[in-house]
Amino acid sequence: MVGSSHEALHRIFQKDPALLTRALQRVLHVPFPEPHEIAALNVDLTEIEPVERRVDTLLRAETDEGTYLLVVESQGKVDDRKRGSWPYYLSYLYEKYRCEPVLIVITQSSATARWASRPIRLGFRDWHSLTVRPLVLGPDNVPVITSERQAERDVPLAVLSAMTHGRGPQAPAILESLASALRTIDPDSAAVFVQFVDSCLADPQAKQMWRDLMTAIQYFWRHPLAEQVREEGREQGLEQGRAEAKAEMILHILEWRGIQVPEAVRERVSTCTDLDQLELWAQRAVHATDSAELFAEK
């Protein structure tokens, strides 16, 4: 199980290595050559001396232009120790594998992204013996995916979007579109992606909304926090449990977006057992400006 946003931010590239190439080409507009093959390597950079050094994720990409090592570092905050460790990682990996290393930093923080994108130059003012220029993926360049169709076209990229943009007014639309897109892929992959997103959502309301969405579509079943929901579902019946979870999700979305929910609206949503109707209301809740818009005739 993925236990932290740090782990999720780089392990998504272990789950789908090709996503990293797409991110380099489409998000950062770096002309990185298309790999024929990508393989995960041992992340342990420990030397004979008792000093242990590990990168977060290490991939080897075979391309027409040669072999590259893709070094992925998940960075939560500014850490000036990286000024020494990142150049060391790249030099060590080049010496060990004799192929070009490329450093990619991924973060949920715009401030950290700006810090990480600054070149690391070692040497004196007019002569740099070594320059390291990280490629940075973060909230300022990862696309915001709020369309179901766009999310379905590239589910891993939609997952990355949710992981880096899972806060603010666009979060409901991002999470709702991703939830729908997860229905289009195999359940095992969906379950892994669900945990990546859950680990990265720092906003309590966004995290609760995500868990409500996942409970409603039953992809959250692998998460230990869903055990209580599963037990209730067994006792009450699967259909009733899904309806109740969907209704609760709708109310959470409205409340999280700061929309007042009168008792009459709460009652109507909570007592509805029609899953198709609840699905329609859930879609409207993401964009509504007033709770009454849920029930508008169209």
Side-chain angles (χ1 to χ4, degrees):
M1 184 178 66
V2 183
S4 70
S5 62
H6 177 277
E7 288 297 305
L9 280 170
H10 68 87
R11 281 178 57 189
I12 187 175
F13 298 115
Q14 296 176 10
K15 171 63 180 173
D16 190 329
L19 172 63
L20 189 57
T21 301
R22 297 200 300 278
L24 292 174
Q25 295 171 344
R26 302 178 192 176
V27 178
L28 298 179
H29 305 292
V30 173
F32 189 80
E34 194 67 33
H36 304 307
E37 178 185 355
I38 299 181
L41 303 178
N42 192 331
V43 299
D44 192 347
L45 307 185
T46 306
E47 301 180 58
I48 297 176
E49 298 296 327
V51 177
E52 186 176 289
R53 303 178 191 270
R54 293 178 183 270
V55 297
D56 288 332
T57 286
L58 181 61
L59 304 169
R60 181 177 59 217
E62 305 287 349
T63 79
D64 287 339
E65 298 178 16
T67 301
Y68 295 91
L69 297 177
L70 303 179
V71 185
V72 185
E73 284 283 283
S74 174
Q75 195 68 29
K77 60 183 180 181
V78 173
D79 183 356
D80 288 330
R81 291 177 299 177
K82 298 299 184 181
R83 179 177 171 82
S85 59
W86 283 345
Y88 171 86
Y89 294 165
L90 300 183
S91 298
Y92 176 86
L93 289 168
Y94 179 77
E95 179 65 20
K96 181 176 182 178
Y97 292 101
R98 288 296 170 176
C99 49
E100 302 293 338
V102 179
L103 175 61
I104 300 103
V105 177
I106 179 166
T107 181
Q108 294 175 288
S109 163
S110 294
T112 303
R114 289 191 295 272
W115 163 80
S117 64
R118 294 199 297 264
I120 299 171
R121 296 186 175 94
L122 304 181
F124 55 91
R125 186 180 60 186
D126 296 324
W127 189 273
H128 301 128
S129 302
L130 177 64
T131 300
V132 174
R133 298 179 61 197
L135 294 164
V136 182
L137 291 165
D140 295 329
N141 53 22
V142 173
V144 176
I145 297 179
T146 57
S147 158
E148 289 183 21
R149 183 175 299 179
Q150 189 180 5
E152 290 173 3
R153 283 200 299 266
D154 195 336
V155 175
L157 186 60
V159 173
L160 187 61
S161 176
M163 290 162 63
T164 52
H165 297 286
R167 64 179 66 188
Q170 296 187 96
I174 293 171
L175 298 179
E176 178 78 20
S177 64
L178 176 58
S180 297
L182 288 174
R183 302 171 190 263
T184 66
I185 65 175
D186 68 279
D188 287 339
S189 293
V192 175
F193 288 144
V194 165
Q195 293 184 26
F196 285 157
V197 175
D198 187 78
S199 296
C200 286
L201 292 174
D203 185 294
Q205 291 178 308
K207 186 183 287 284
Q208 185 60 53
M209 176 188 169
W210 179 243
R211 291 178 176 178
D212 290 341
L213 283 166
M214 293 303 96
T215 300
I217 64 174
Q218 297 180 307
Y219 279 131
F220 203 39
W221 61 274
R222 289 180 178 234
H223 200 292
L225 294 174
E227 184 60 38
Q228 182 179 352
V229 174
R230 293 201 298 272
E231 291 296 335
E232 292 173 356
R234 294 189 188 103
E235 294 172 0
Q236 299 172 1
L238 179 60
E239 196 76 5
Q240 181 181 350
R242 291 181 66 193
E244 290 180 353
K246 196 74 172 178
E248 186 177 355
M249 176 201 70
I250 293 167
L251 297 174
H252 272 304
I253 292 174
L254 292 173
E255 291 168 352
W256 186 79
R257 296 184 62 227
I259 295 175
Q260 186 175 2
V261 182
E263 190 58 37
V265 172
R266 186 179 301 276
E267 178 70 15
R268 183 173 177 182
V269 172
S270 298
T271 57
C272 181
T273 58
D274 185 334
L275 285 172
D276 291 336
Q277 182 65 71
L278 288 166
E279 176 64 27
L280 176 61
W281 289 348
Q283 294 173 11
R284 291 178 177 177
V286 174
H287 306 288
T289 57
D290 186 280
S291 60
E293 293 178 19
L294 294 183
F295 316 124
E297 296 292 336
K298 292 188 177 181

